[in-house]
Every structure is written in structure tokens, then in C-alpha cells.
Amino acid sequence: MTAGFTGHARIAAPGATRARLRRAASPLPLLRACVMGGFGSAALVPASPAAALDPVLDPVPAPLLASAEQAEGPPLDLPAAPQSREELVGEDRILAFEADRLAYNSEAEIVTASGEVVLRSEDRSVRADEVVWYRDSGRIVATGNIRFVDETGNQLFTDQIELTDEFEAGAMEELLIALRAGGRLAARSASRADDGTILLDRAAYTACPVTGEDGCAKDPSWRITADRVIYDPDEARVRFRGAMLELFGARILPLPGLSLNTDGEAVSGFLVPNIRVTQVNGLELSGDYYWRLADNKDLRLGAYVFSAVAPMVSAEWRHLTGTGAYQVTGYLTQSSRVADLTGQATTESDPRGYLFANGRFQFTEHWSLTGSIRAASDRTFLRRYDLSRDDRLRSTVNIERIDEDSYLSLAGWATQTLRINARQGQIPIALPAFDYRRILEDPLLGGEIQLQANTLALLRTDGQDTQRAFAGARWDLRTMTGLGQVVTFSALARGDVYHTSNTRSTLTEIYRGNEGWTGRGIAIGAIDIEWPFVGEAFGGTQVLKPRLQLVASPSIENLAVPNEDARAIDLEDSNLFALNRFPGYDRVEDGTRITWGLDWELQKPGWRVKTTVGQSYRLEEKDEIFPDGTGLSERVSDFVGRTEVRYRDFLAFTHRFRLDKDNLAFRRNEIDAAIGSRRTYLEVGYLRLNRDIQTVEDLQDREEFRAAARVAFANNWAVFGSGVFNLTSAEEDPVFAPDGFEPIRTRLGVSYQDECLEFGFTWRRDFITAGDAARGNSFQLFFALRNLGFR
């Protein structure tokens, strides 16, 4: 715009109070109101692309001081040349303005600005085709393509507006309000009440986009129509009278007492109910009331009504404090349950429920506290009411101190098993679990030393008790030779002390250890050499990296101490070059071994292919700590590897494998693949463990297939489905004796989803019965209105 006139003036507003709005969260694109189109009484079309980037008007140019104070006589058209004026009329507000033309009638005290007119007063602004300022009354009337922006970024579009002496909107016709926090209000007419609220008649509200990608007006997915809307700028609140929810133009649901905040903050109120039908509980209707107590705390109260069982209630409390945040969630009901899950099936009617709480608090820069509580009344409550599919619940507490070169943790945890055949008395309680580590830079030959101290106490009500403590140090030095070889020297020294009792209660003998006190020493040395080669291939860059590692350790008393944290041992690509290929501290691989590996990576535009393969050779056998089938029990290990293929965001493929060294049979075969976009995709997963380990309960064979797919159609519609299938045979798992093809859970549904609306229908079938959580079908209808505060 070419500014033909710029200036400043002060408007007196004696006895008036300026209304303030709380600041909104995010900007909205600039939009222009039309009296035609599909949203209520006005449609929105974009303004210029530049204007769509920022709702705040351009800053006022520095005025050129000149005098127009003595103008007299008839109205005067000022030329389109930069002029300015500043007049002190009062103390409360300064009015800055720009215009192509300015006419001033000194007798009637009327200033008329036309062309590209922009008025600014503190944080408010008006853009219009013409503005008439009645100086004697302080009244301002703007006409033509008006955009009024308040101090929070909310924008008002209309063709005529009357501004008060406080630069606030008065009477309007055919207007639209674009809220900066999201949402648009359109009305046939509006006026300002004496208390400062704006009254809109025959209004409509939506949080949906009302223009398409081509910039043309479109009908929103949903809108709320009302006989009257009351907009309170002081409270940043919009209240509806006679509100009705419309979906795709159809009036479907009255919404009495509806209100929302214009600053995007949540408000108290009822949330959209959910409808579901399950095999065990029958028809389920659930609803929640959200209670916003303050900006930093809220409460959600829920109720569940079932046709086949007693009702259930729930509550969720959330609180943000000065040092952290925490939340507490609980469910409570009374229903029949299977009292004896392993013997004769009997039912009892008891109070049942679930408690979940977690939080984190940062006391200082270095000290923090995290914790969680998860507890259920029985083993089938969560599954029966479809709250969780977890088979164990862990409660934890952890005090941590973290700085640049040290870490300290004092923790404890307890686990509640939800497995049908598991004994709770065999599940340990860990208290305390202490771990301290410190890094010393460059203390020896330019390397790095990490010191560590650790203690752990495991207590069982019906099983073995174990206490462990150790202290150790690890040294690493990484260097490069003149030929480009990367050489890493490592050394580890550690001393352990164990105390165990009631070892006979542990069924697997190699996990027990000796009764009473036991000590051992650990020393490991290693040299690791990597030699990368870089070159061009297939239109991209390839990296070939051979790797060789030598690890040596004297004999370690492994079976003399219990095994609590290193049971799930299996040779994988992730632990092939580890100093200790056991996952925990209780077992340490000793002896001397040589490990070789080969990494290859190709990168080209859009593509990335990465593969690795390796094997190790031990100078002596260690079958007493490595069960047959783990790939490590013999001198020559199995082959392990991983292959990854990625193409942009469209394709991801990962294959992990372990091949038998004698016959190249797959002992581990794991595939994860995904193809497609976010709207249409296919995901598959496959796992086969064929290790023939029958003596250790933690290393059973299994085979599993899982798949999920989504197909989008007709712009916003989609069908989706997923399934998990157990392919394990009776020979692979003699305990449960599966039949080789056993569906675990399947799901199928259809949904609609756009920028502000989501609804759909889902059918799910569970094939596993666990006590009163019986197998069967469940049907759910879900509905969500986004940007309206409930889902």
C-alpha cells in the first residue's frame, strides 16, 4: 500500500475501562469475509499470500512531522503525499493512522480517511476502505472490507463497524470473527452490551477450515449454530444459547449450556460419550466430565454403565507443580470374577479396581525424582474392561543425580504379575537398587575411565532372596592408525559379592547359585579393529567396514552366584561385539574368543541400505553357562546379522537373523516391514525362534505373525484392520501345546477423519479366555470433535 497520509492523535476515554483479552497461543492466517459461500452468514477466502503469513499488521512508519492544525473552512482533500499529524485530545489512548486520502471538515469536526486506511491504537488495529472520525463525540465508523484485530490476535471481518472511544467494536452487520486460538464465529448482526460483551444473533461457530486447498469456500464438516452467542472479551469466553450441533449440514444434537474459551484453554464440561458392545459386559455407555480447577490442575470424572454388569466409575487427577508434574488415575466397580484361575473354577463378587499414578519432579539442575504406581485388584480386571493388555504391572521409584561426568540412582520397584499360571510369591521386590557411575577424562594414555558401584537387593515372599554388590572400572582408548584403521583398547575389572537364601525354591538349577555368601573377581581385556573403505557404487556412496575383535578373560565363577538379570541370553547382532554378551551383571562370559564382522552400507538419493553379518570363535567351550540353542554353547558360534532397507518415508524393511553354523537353518528369523504413506499403508511382522531349548523356561521357542493395514478412499474415509497370530506348534511349546495357527486378536473398522472431525466403527475379536475376561467380539463406535475441547 502507498501511504498517502500518516499521523498520530490521542483519544480521550474518561471514565471508561479498557477490556483485555488473555493472549492466545498461535497465529491464524489472515482471511477476508464474504457475504456469500457456505459457512453461516459469511464465508472466508484468503487474503493475499503475504498477508496469510502473519495476522499482525505491518508496523507504523515513523511519521514526518508537519502541521495541519490550523485547517479551516469546507472539507479539504489532502493530496496523496506523506503528511502527519499529532494532537493531544486526552491521556488514555494514541491513535495512529495511514490512508491514501484524507478529508478534514473543521466546522463539523469530522475527519474522513479513504483508500487503504489503517488505524492503530496500542495493540489494536483496523483496516478498511473508508474511516470517518467524529472528533467531537470520539465515534469512529469504518466501512468496506474491514478487518479489526484486537490485542490477542483475534480478527473480525465485516463491511461496516462502529468503534467506541475506547477503540472497541460496536454495532455490526454480516460479520465473521476468526479466533487466533482456532475457530471462527459468523453472525448476521452483533452489538455491544453495556458490560462490554458482544452479542451475536443467528450465529454459527466452527473450528474446521472453510476454504479448500484451491482457496474456494467449502462447507465445514461440523458447525454449531445458535440463536445467540455471547462473547465476553474480559473472560475470553464464548457462550451459546440454543446451540445445535450440525454434521455435514444435518442438525443432530442439541448442546445446552455450551461454552468455550477463545484463548484455546480447556474449559470445564462434559466430553463426548463412547458406545461399545462387548461379549462379557454387554452394551457399554461411558462418559466423562472435565473439571478445570486452575491453569495447572484438572480433574476428569468418568462413569461407565453396562447392560450385563454393575456400573464402574473412574477419576483422573493431573497437577503441574513448581518442580514437576504428577497424575493419578483410578477405576472402581464390583463384579463377579473367577476366584481360582488354576484349579476348580469358582466365581466371587468383589470390589474390583485399578490404580495408576506417575510423576516426575526436578528439584535442582541435577537432582530429580520419578515414580509410578500400578496396581490392580486381580489378574483379569484390566483385560475384562479393556483398559490394558499388560501381563505385569510395575511400580517404581527412582532418585537420580545427573551431571556432565557422573550419574547416581537410588531406586526400587515391585511387580504384580497378571499371568494366569504365575506365582506372585516368585516375583521379586527390588529395594534398594543403587547405581553410581563416574567418568574420568584422559587419566591414562589419553583414554577414558568409567568407575561404577552397584548394589541390589531382591526379596520374595515365596522364593529365593538375593543381595548383590559390586565395584568396578572400565578403561577405553580409541585411536586411528596411519592406514585409517580405528583401534579400540578396552579393559574391565570388577569385584562382586553375593548373598543368597532359599535357593531350592528356584526351579532352574543353573539360576540358583550357592547358598550364603559368595565372592568373585572379573577381569576382561579386548582389542577391537575396524577398517572402513569408502567408494562409489550404484549411483551412490558405499562404505565397507571389516571388523575384528579379540576378547580375553580368566575363568569366572559364574554358577556359584545366582542369575537374576541375565537369563534371556541369545546371540544377536546387537551383542556380537559386546565385552559381555549376557544382558545383565550376574553372568559374565569368560575365556578367549575372536569375533569377526562385516558391515556394508549404501546411500543414494532417497535410499539407504545397510547390512551386517558376523560370527565368533571361542578357544574353549562354555556349555555350562550357555544352554544349547543359544548360538554360543560351542566353540564356533552361529552366524548373526541384520539388514535394513529404507526408501524415503515410503518403505522400511528390517530383517534380523541367526543361522545355524552347521546347516544354515534359521534359528532366529525376524522381519519388520512397512510400506505406504500415513494415509494408506501396510505393516507386517514375523518372528520365528527355532532354538530347541527345552530346559530353560525363559528361552522357549515360538512363532508369531502380525499385520496391520489402512486403505484411504474418498478423500477422508479409510478402512483398517490388524491381527496377531500365534504360529507356534505343540512341539515348539510343549507346556501350552498350541495348534500351529491360533489367532490372538483381530480388528477391523472403518473411519472418517479430517482436520476437525473423526468418527468410525470398529469390530474386534479376542480369541483368548483368561478367567472372567472371556473370548468374544466387541464393537465400538467412536466420535471426536477436534478443537472443541472434547473427544
Side-chain angles (χ1 to χ4, degrees), residues 511-531:
Y511 292 163
R512 293 176 179 173
N514 297 333
E515 190 86 11
W517 290 94
T518 305
R520 68 175 180 181
I522 298 171
I524 303 176
I527 301 176
D528 194 314
I529 303 174
E530 302 175 65
W531 199 352

Side-chain angles (χ1 to χ4, degrees), residues 103-112 132-136:
Y104 177 48
N105 188 329
S106 59
E107 295 180 356
E109 291 289 315
I110 298 175
V111 178
T112 301
V132 179
W133 176 20
Y134 300 90
R135 296 182 59 193
D136 55 352

Side-chain angles (χ1 to χ4, degrees), residues 90-135:
E91 298 179 352
D92 295 342
R93 185 177 296 275
I94 296 177
L95 175 64
F97 55 92
E98 304 170 24
D100 290 340
R101 294 175 300 277
L102 186 68
Y104 177 48
N105 188 329
S106 59
E107 295 180 356
E109 291 289 315
I110 298 175
V111 178
T112 301
S114 58
E116 293 284 342
V117 183
V118 178
L119 304 182
R120 296 182 180 86
S121 178
E122 297 182 5
D123 294 332
R124 302 179 185 181
S125 64
V126 171
R127 185 187 296 270
D129 292 341
E130 183 180 84
V131 174
V132 179
W133 176 20
Y134 300 90
R135 296 182 59 193

